[in-house]
Structures are given as C-alpha cells and as structure tokens.
Amino acid sequence: MSSAPASVKTRVVPLSSLRCGQRGVICRVAADCDSSVCHRLQLLGFSEGRAISKVRQAPLGGPMIFRVCDVQMCLRQAQADLVLVELADEPEFAA
C-alpha cells in the first residue's frame, strides 16, 4: 500500500469504473479471476504497481481502451472489472 499524505484520500475501484482521462495505479487482480485470464492480463501489462489511465470507451458498455506501459490496450467490461485500481482523490486544501 502507498504512503500518501494525510490530506490525500485513496480508494480502490474496478478498472471499468474509471472515467475517461482518469488515472490510477493497479493494486491487484480480483481473487476470483480465472488463472488463464489473470495470466493473460499480466502478460499485457496489467500488473500490480503499474500506472494506468482510461483513454476512451465504446458506447453502450462496449470495450474500453486503457493506457498502460505506454501502450493502449483494449479490454471488455468483464476483464476490466477484474483489475482493481487505487485512485488518489484531489488533495484537500484548508480554507
């Protein structure tokens, strides 16, 4: 787990829930992921500690394009649901 300053809150969400342009760091693949799917995701670069961002999504819940390892990769919703990403919210500023 990362050591973020106290003023920055982090949360873990499925990769599929990112908005276009939103960034995060992959923290793990879901425990119930089939071993062959998990292995394939790791081969494509979807592994722990990697920075990732959502580039775009096809309409009507179609495939999503992510940037990971300086490459754009396309995943279906079912596979993107298996990858868990840690997001850092914007820092809170005291008024």
Side-chain angles (χ1 to χ4, degrees), residues 2 11-13 15 18 22-28 47-53 68 83-88:
S2 65
R11 57 194 164 111
V12 176
V13 298
L15 183 58
L18 266 64
Q22 194 171 17
R23 299 172 188 217
V25 175
I26 299 171
C27 59
R28 66 183 177 276
S47 54
E48 187 176 335
R50 295 271 170 97
I52 191 164
S53 63
V68 62
V83 180
L84 300 173
V85 179
E86 186 175 281
L87 303 176

Side-chain angles (χ1 to χ4, degrees), residues 64-93:
M64 301 167 217
I65 298 176
F66 300 96
R67 178 172 289 281
V68 62
C69 300
D70 219 17
V71 176
Q72 291 187 5
M73 297 282 180
C74 185
L75 291 180
R76 294 183 182 131
Q77 170 120 18
Q79 285 78 35
D81 285 341
L82 297 171
V83 180
L84 300 173
V85 179
E86 186 175 281
L87 303 176
D89 291 334
E90 293 299 316
E92 297 175 2
F93 297 101

Side-chain angles (χ1 to χ4, degrees), residues 31-49:
D32 61 343
C33 180
D34 180 78
S35 63
S36 62
V37 173
C38 185
H39 181 68
R40 182 69 174 154
L41 287 170
Q42 288 180 340
L43 289 175
L44 292 172
F46 293 88
S47 54
E48 187 176 335

